[in-house]
Amino acid sequence: MNEYYIEHQKILLSVDCIIFGFDDNKLKVLIGHRNMEPGRGAWSLYGGFVRNDESVDHAADRTLTELTGMKHVYMRQVGAFGAVDRDPGARVVSVAYCALINVKDYDERLLKKHEGQWVNVDELPEMFSDHQAMIRKARQMMQAKIKTSPVSFQLLPELFTLTQLQRLYEAVNGEEVDKRNFRKRIKDMDFIEKTDLIDKASSKRGAALYRFNANAYDEESKFKL
Amino acid sequence: MNEYYIEHQKILLSVDCIIFGFDDNKLKVLIGHRNMEPGRGAWSLYGGFVRNDESVDHAADRTLTELTGMKHVYMRQVGAFGAVDRDPGARVVSVAYCALINVKDYDERLLKKHEGQWVNVDELPEMFSDHQAMIRKARQMMQAKIKTSPVSFQLLPELFTLTQLQRLYEAVNGEEVDKRNFRKRIKDMDFIEKTDLIDKASSKRGAALYRFNANAYDEESKFKL
DNA sequence: CCAAAAGTGTTCCGTCTACACCCATGG
DNA sequence: CCATGGGTGTAGACGGAACACTTTTGG
């Protein structure tokens, strides 16, 4: 009986990437126009089919690299989306992945070639299939993660100011927090290191630049924002 | 180029169920012997292939019902497992689901027919493929969930004592908690209702039986254990 | 009568929250 | 000289953790 279904199963497997970035104090997601029928032209996440000789994780990495030129990016599985009619053209089950990138780091030309657009995660357009639901789920994951593990730094340049970090935190969670309390929590985490450098771009006085020291951070470190 | 991969994709899609139960103050998982080559006879989760005309979620429900006779069971997706060589016989990607059932509720005959075995989640045998990893991930999800949402009641009979609930909580998290503090937290949750009934099975004195009132519990209720 | 589980409050300590003013500088 | 964002400390409220004894009853 199992053999019967194996022989006749006609399900395609794809991946979709929810690529988050942080810019202009807003959490953004990178989307594009779908380049296949059905639904050609609709707003869509970037995705692709899983190849026979690669893992599902690898398919997601590859999709991201093809789009941005970036490698070794922080990426986590969001989940499988498997409704029968989620793709009107064929039976396609898709595994969604969430990637966090620094908006300044990708290859501009590649992005232009693919006509990628950064959109505010709170102002999504109509999108193909269940892609909005994928983004919502990814954002929830992100909100949970950012409080207890040092993922925020993936969205920032190597050197950042505490105000940038705070604005990022606020953008992800959709609410403002007290500056003094926020900075107090940062001080408790030794692996967020103050450098001697000053960023003069954001203010006249200048703000100290910080760096996340991944080596100093390890399993027993407490992360709490 | 996409078309090329669609045509040639040879990936099968299955589901696997991590079925948790609570018995003898231990968290258990229901496993069986694999009934297919390769790996026939190895310890394995219950699973099956996704049909062309059903959602992935539905495939998981169906698998559980075929095994236990139970419907409308609490079930959540754990994630997709997609390593290339995870199944030595074919390219199979599997979506794992976690189900919580009350050990007394399933159909004994069906379970016997399938030769299901409850094993302590802390003492798993060698298992087929990545099934141990699936169980570990499901357990982590469970530990996170049980603290903030009322899933524990899925593992208990409708009427239960506070000691049972506490032992369950301890079994999931692998550590003991203080009885008085635990009961204080229960008192704060109005949707955990004390009944007039007394359970005499567990002690000479008898213990009050409680019930989870799902109607009284709603979105704005706070759940914190 | 005693073993075994049920049931019950208070104190302490650490953590989180609320809150307002001075500083440095470019224009 | 002033507008703009950077930087700093304290007091009070709240929530979590530690902790021990009495009750009931079957055997």
Side-chain angles (χ1 to χ4, degrees):
Chain A
M1 173 156 156
N2 270 321
E3 317 298 336
Y4 175 82
Y5 286 105
I6 294 180
E7 286 303 318
H8 293 80
Q9 201 187 51
K10 290 250 166 57
I11 300 179
L12 294 167
L13 190 65
S14 68
V15 294
D16 284 298
C17 295
I18 297 104
I19 304 167
F20 284 124
F22 179 64
D23 195 26
D24 187 28
N25 290 342
K26 303 254 191 303
L27 184 66
K28 310 259 181 169
V29 59
L30 185 56
I31 63 177
H33 290 286
R34 181 170 162 92
N35 64 2
M36 286 193 265
E37 295 301 342
R40 190 185 297 270
W43 286 112
S44 164
L45 292 170
Y46 284 95
F49 289 94
V50 179
R51 294 183 184 168
N52 296 327
D53 58 353
E54 69 179 350
S55 69
V56 180
D57 287 355
H58 184 271
D61 279 339
R62 180 175 50 78
T63 300
L64 184 79
T65 302
E66 283 170 9
L67 179 65
T68 64
M70 298 168 73
K71 294 181 184 198
H72 312 298
V73 169
Y74 178 93
M75 213 166 186
R76 291 292 181 275
Q77 191 188 120
V78 172
F81 288 71
V84 173
D85 58 355
R86 57 176 293 285
D87 186 318
R91 180 71 203 277
V92 182
V93 170
S94 189
V95 182
Y97 282 79
C98 170
L100 305 183
I101 71 174
N102 172 13
V103 170
K104 307 298 174 208
D105 276 356
Y106 62 71
D107 184 327
E108 292 263 7
R109 286 172 333 196
L110 267 176
L111 195 64
K112 230 167 215 146
K113 181 177 135 199
H114 289 99
E115 299 183 324
Q117 297 274 332
W118 288 104
V119 301
N120 189 330
V121 76
D122 289 319
E123 296 164 3
L124 297 176
E126 282 291 307
M127 294 186 73
F128 177 74
S129 186
D130 47 12
H131 288 194
Q132 281 203 1
M134 290 178 175
I135 296 173
R136 277 196 300 274
K137 180 131 185 253
R139 205 228 180 128
Q140 284 167 16
M141 263 184 57
M142 175 91 203
Q143 288 180 341
K145 275 261 168 187
I146 202 175
K147 289 175 192 161
T148 56
S149 88
V151 297
S152 17
F153 311 109
Q154 307 295 328
L155 290 161
L156 293 172
E158 191 185 341
L159 296 172
F160 52 87
T161 68
L162 294 187
T163 301
Q164 275 179 288
L165 184 60
Q166 183 179 342
R167 295 282 175 266
L168 165 55
Y169 180 79
E170 292 171 337
V172 171
N173 288 304
E175 56 184 17
E176 302 192 348
V177 298
D178 181 85
K179 180 166 55 160
R180 280 175 289 188
N181 293 337
F182 184 83
R183 289 159 108 101
K184 216 179 307 171
R185 292 196 286 270
I186 301 291
K187 271 215 186 82
D188 292 339
M189 297 186 257
D190 296 335
F191 47 87
I192 303 180
E193 299 172 346
K194 188 173 186 170
T195 68
D196 297 334
L197 304 166
I198 304 285
D199 170 65
K200 305 282 282 184
S202 62
S203 79
K204 304 176 174 170
R205 172 173 173 178
L209 285 163
Y210 286 72
R211 160 190 291 132
F212 170 61
N213 184 337
N215 297 324
Y217 179 83
D218 50 40
E219 304 313 317
E220 67 256 37
S221 311
K222 287 210 201 321
F223 190 96
K224 190 80 179 52
L225 271 186
Chain B
M1 173 156 158
N2 270 320
E3 317 298 335
Y4 175 82
Y5 286 105
I6 294 180
E7 286 303 317
H8 293 79
Q9 201 187 49
K10 290 252 166 57
I11 300 179
L12 293 168
L13 190 65
S14 68
V15 293
D16 284 298
C17 295
I18 297 104
I19 304 168
F20 284 125
F22 179 64
D23 196 24
D24 187 30
N25 290 343
K26 303 253 190 303
L27 185 65
K28 310 260 180 167
V29 60
L30 186 56
I31 63 178
H33 290 286
R34 181 169 161 92
N35 63 3
M36 287 193 265
E37 294 301 343
R40 188 186 299 271
W43 286 111
S44 164
L45 292 170
Y46 284 95
F49 289 94
V50 180
R51 295 183 183 169
N52 295 327
D53 58 353
E54 70 179 351
S55 69
V56 180
D57 287 354
H58 185 272
D61 280 338
R62 179 173 53 76
T63 300
L64 184 80
T65 303
E66 284 169 9
L67 178 65
T68 64
M70 297 168 73
K71 294 181 184 201
H72 311 298
V73 168
Y74 178 94
M75 214 166 184
R76 290 291 181 277
Q77 191 188 119
V78 173
F81 288 71
V84 173
D85 57 356
R86 57 176 294 283
D87 185 318
R91 180 71 203 279
V92 182
V93 170
S94 190
V95 182
Y97 282 78
C98 169
L100 306 183
I101 72 174
N102 172 12
V103 169
K104 308 298 174 208
D105 276 356
Y106 62 72
D107 184 328
E108 292 263 8
R109 286 171 334 194
L110 266 175
L111 195 64
K112 230 166 216 148
K113 182 178 134 198
H114 290 96
E115 299 182 325
Q117 297 274 332
W118 287 105
V119 302
N120 188 331
V121 76
D122 289 320
E123 296 164 3
L124 297 176
E126 282 290 307
M127 294 186 73
F128 177 74
S129 185
D130 48 13
H131 287 194
Q132 282 203 0
M134 289 179 174
I135 296 173
R136 277 197 301 275
K137 179 128 185 258
R139 205 230 180 128
Q140 283 167 15
M141 263 184 56
M142 175 91 203
Q143 288 179 340
K145 275 262 168 188
I146 202 175
K147 289 175 192 160
T148 57
S149 87
V151 297
S152 16
F153 310 109
Q154 307 295 327
L155 289 161
L156 292 172
E158 191 184 343
L159 297 172
F160 53 86
T161 67
L162 293 187
T163 301
Q164 276 181 289
L165 183 61
Q166 183 179 342
R167 295 283 175 265
L168 165 56
Y169 180 79
E170 291 171 338
V172 171
N173 288 305
E175 56 183 17
E176 302 191 348
V177 298
D178 181 86
K179 180 164 57 158
R180 281 175 288 187
N181 292 336
F182 184 82
R183 286 167 180 244
K184 215 180 308 171
R185 292 197 285 271
I186 301 291
K187 270 215 186 82
D188 291 339
M189 297 187 257
D190 296 335
F191 48 86
I192 303 180
E193 298 172 346
K194 187 173 186 170
T195 68
D196 297 334
L197 304 166
I198 305 285
D199 170 66
K200 305 282 283 184
S202 62
S203 80
K204 302 174 177 172
R205 173 172 173 179
L209 285 163
Y210 285 72
R211 161 191 289 132
F212 170 61
N213 184 337
N215 297 324
Y217 179 83
D218 50 39
E219 305 312 318
E220 66 256 38
S221 312
K222 287 212 201 319
F223 189 96
K224 189 80 178 55
L225 270 187

